[in-house]
Amino acid sequence: MQHNKYHNITDNIEVDCVAEGAERLNCQKREVVRENPLTVEIEGVGTYTMMCMPCDEMALAVGFAFSEGLLRNKNDIHLLKVCPDDPLVIRMRLADGNEEKKEQRGVLITSSCGICGSDAIEKIVQSLPTAGDSLRITKEELARMPDALRERQDIFRRTGGTHAVGLIRAGEIIAVGEDIGRHNAFDKAVGKCILQEIPTAGCAAVLSGRVSFEMAAKAARAGVELIAAVSAPTTLSVEVARQCNITLCGFVRGKEATIYCHSHRITADG
């Protein structure tokens, strides 16, 4: 029987499996992660529908609004609630005085959605803040980050179908976002911190997958000083990291890692 924690997050589905040496297909049950549309209605700004895993929806909505530059902290949220008629709709009203609002209605954001257009990308890069320079970690601490995140990837252990992002301060994970989409996972982690009024500036972010332009941009907006990913970065993510003073580490596996820029934050073991 499925654990209550995962109610409505996964389904048990009958599948046929191919096994080495078996003469016929083997019928088994597999736990598969759900993918649902979540609509975020931001009053006076727009309506956004994103494909996501149905958990931590409030954090996702807040993190998404933060990433879009619609809010800076919890005080910028006047209202945040689930629609009483539809649990897959979240309504948000921004506090008075938030002048930087975008008009973008009816947008469908998929679980792997990206930004299109070189002009849009150039404008985003130019608008990104520069990270601080307070973080220092040892090579050993860097090597431990992926394992620490993996221990918190509950849904991945059951389904193998999710990404995760962990925010780390002083060697401790302060927030984890897990979702079918890497972008959603980052927004969930940041959203949790905003709702709990935990600052993200000066943190490290550990990623379960590759580093795209948008992942690096989300890190920059959150004031993250170091990204540690188990996979590769893209050229645009390296460009963002260089410009924004973010230490970008890829292929962090075991005792090895590739540092693409700003390696001064990685110190000798001590």
Side-chain angles (χ1 to χ4, degrees):
M1 185 171 66
Q2 192 171 323
H3 194 282
N4 286 338
K5 181 180 178 183
Y6 301 96
H7 181 63
N8 292 332
I9 297 178
T10 64
D11 281 331
N12 284 316
I13 296 177
E14 287 191 357
V15 297
D16 291 320
C17 298
V18 176
E20 183 179 356
E23 296 182 357
R24 62 185 67 184
L25 297 178
N26 183 15
C27 181
Q28 297 183 13
K29 283 192 174 183
R30 287 287 187 270
E31 200 165 357
V32 180
V33 65
R34 280 178 179 257
E35 181 177 18
N36 284 348
L38 175 70
T39 298
V40 180
E41 298 178 352
I42 305 179
E43 185 176 310
V45 180
T47 299
Y48 308 83
T49 299
M50 57 194 78
M51 303 305 297
C52 65
M53 184 177 72
C55 73
D56 298 324
E57 292 96 332
M58 289 291 195
L60 175 56
V62 171
F64 170 76
F66 175 85
S67 292
E68 291 296 305
L70 301 175
L71 60 86
R72 297 158 297 177
N73 52 50
K74 190 177 180 180
N75 293 331
D76 288 335
I77 304 171
H78 181 72
L79 175 72
L80 182 66
K81 68 176 183 178
V82 176
C83 175
D85 300 323
D86 189 344
L88 293 176
V89 175
I90 292 179
R91 290 175 176 162
M92 184 185 304
R93 183 186 305 137
L94 301 177
D96 294 337
N98 268 16
E99 301 300 334
E100 303 214 1
K101 298 178 180 180
K102 301 178 183 177
E103 187 71 19
Q104 186 177 0
R105 297 186 179 275
V107 177
L108 173 65
I109 301 167
T110 68
S111 57
S112 58
C113 179
I115 291 175
C116 299
S118 58
D119 289 342
I121 290 175
E122 185 175 347
K123 288 179 181 178
I124 291 173
V125 172
Q126 292 173 353
S127 70
L128 293 174
T130 300
D133 200 12
S134 61
L135 179 65
R136 297 293 184 273
I137 67 168
T138 66
K139 292 181 290 184
E140 288 183 347
E141 289 173 325
L142 176 65
R144 287 196 294 266
M145 287 183 182
D147 288 339
L149 177 63
R150 200 170 295 114
E151 290 175 1
R152 303 280 290 273
Q153 291 179 249
D154 298 330
I155 312 300
F156 179 81
R157 279 197 298 273
R158 289 172 168 260
T159 67
T162 61
H163 289 282
V165 172
L167 296 177
I168 298 176
R169 183 184 299 281
E172 298 293 331
I173 292 182
I174 60 174
V176 172
E178 190 172 8
D179 199 273
I180 53 177
R182 295 172 296 117
H183 310 90
N184 291 345
F186 210 124
D187 285 343
K188 284 182 177 181
V190 171
K192 287 180 180 180
C193 288
I194 291 173
L195 289 172
Q196 297 176 47
E197 300 185 274
I198 300 173
T200 57
C203 285
V206 55
L207 280 55
S208 65
R210 65 185 178 88
V211 190
S212 65
F213 164 77
E214 280 192 290
M215 298 295 275
K218 288 178 186 292
R221 292 189 186 99
V224 167
E225 292 190 22
L226 181 144
I227 300 172
V230 300
S231 193
T234 64
T235 54
L236 274 177
S237 70
V238 174
E239 180 182 334
V240 169
R242 285 175 176 167
Q243 174 174 306
C244 297
N245 190 35
I246 298 172
T247 301
L248 178 55
C249 306
F251 300 106
V252 183
R253 303 171 182 174
K255 295 184 178 181
E256 297 183 353
T258 302
I259 306 172
Y260 292 84
C261 57
H262 301 299
S263 59
H264 65 278
R265 291 188 178 88
I266 312 297
T267 66
D269 296 346

